[in-house]
Amino acid sequence: MSISENLINIQSKIQNAEKKSGRPQGSVKLMAVSKFHPTEEILQTYESGQLLYGENRVQEACEKFTPLLASHSDICLHLIGQLQSNKVKKTVTVASCIQSVDRIELLYEIEKQCSKLQKQIQVLFEVHTGEESKSGFTQESELRRCLELCVNGEFPHIIANGFMTMAPFTQDESLIRKSFSTLRNLSEKFKKDYKELPLKELSMGMSGDFEIAIEEGSTLVRVGTAIFGARDYSK
């Protein structure tokens, strides 16, 4: 199947999962994760109507999307990989959202760099819900501190838009569901406690588990391999 056919197939599966879950069509956004895939392949999905993309590595994101954003203003890029503080300056020039905020210090650096550009940026707080996750908040108290700082106006250039997680890499569906439901329950709790913040996004689910994620409340799925095919890691 071609990339365009893969994209249509994934969109159909998302719609079926929405229907199965009793959710309205269009309630789940599809992100095409273009890590290690060339600009030509990204443009194939763009020509089929795909506008939202995710990249893991800052340098690659800047190299590919700086020219793409200049020529295609409707494209939206999210940074979804673990982010070092010294890479924030570059990240905020191309990304409209950083999905991998996993510590308070990162918020201060994002605010510092966005204030220089007079740019607002969305963030999602990454939460560790699976044993194989490499990053993310592990303490609810730390995450609560971040949200309280946002409510108190500490970060005027940051929009706290929700949460992200990665399920463990396992064939055990019960563990995958537990990971997603843990984040959903945490999100619902924080929405009640911090009504001043949007907190509307739940970024959960990738190529192998996005249908389960949708059943568990995901609003945004991050799909790469199932759209673009296997990545060439030699590059």
Side-chain angles (χ1 to χ4, degrees), residues 4 9 24 28 36 63 79 89 92 118 139 170 177 184 196 208 216 221:
S4 297
N9 183 47
V28 179
F36 291 148
E63 288 173 355
L79 196 285
K89 183 177 181 179
V92 300
Q118 295 190 334
Q139 300 295 323
T170 176
R177 286 191 183 276
R184 184 192 67 237
E196 305 93 331
E216 294 298 331
V221 294

Side-chain angles (χ1 to χ4, degrees), residues 18 136 171 177 190 195 220 233-234:
E18 288 172 334
Q171 298 298 314
R177 286 191 183 276
F190 284 141
K195 293 184 173 69
L220 189 158
Y233 288 96
S234 67

Side-chain angles (χ1 to χ4, degrees), residues 119-162:
K119 172 182 178 177
Q120 278 199 313
I121 195 167
Q122 297 177 16
V123 303
L124 303 186
F125 297 96
E126 183 175 0
V127 180
H128 179 101
T129 62
E131 286 307 308
E132 294 186 35
S133 295
K134 296 179 182 178
S135 57
F137 285 94
T138 57
Q139 300 295 323
E140 184 178 324
S141 59
E142 284 294 295
L143 187 47
R144 194 173 285 277
R145 277 185 63 202
C146 290
L147 297 174
E148 287 173 354
L149 288 169
C150 290
V151 168
N152 292 334
E154 189 73 20
F155 311 115
H157 294 87
I158 291 175
I159 301 167
N161 213 31

Side-chain angles (χ1 to χ4, degrees), residues 7 67 97 140 151 160 162 193 214 220 226-227:
L7 183 63
C97 178
E140 184 178 324
V151 168
D193 292 346
I214 291 170
L220 189 158
I227 294 174

Side-chain angles (χ1 to χ4, degrees), residues 47-61:
E47 289 162 5
S48 297
Q50 180 66 30
L51 300 176
L52 177 60
Y53 296 90
E55 284 281 341
N56 293 68
R57 304 189 307 168
V58 175
Q59 182 176 342
E60 183 181 0

Side-chain angles (χ1 to χ4, degrees), residues 21-35:
S21 307
R23 299 174 60 182
Q25 187 173 327
S27 59
V28 179
K29 292 184 282 293
L30 170 61
M31 168 184 287
V33 179
S34 47
K35 174 185 177 182

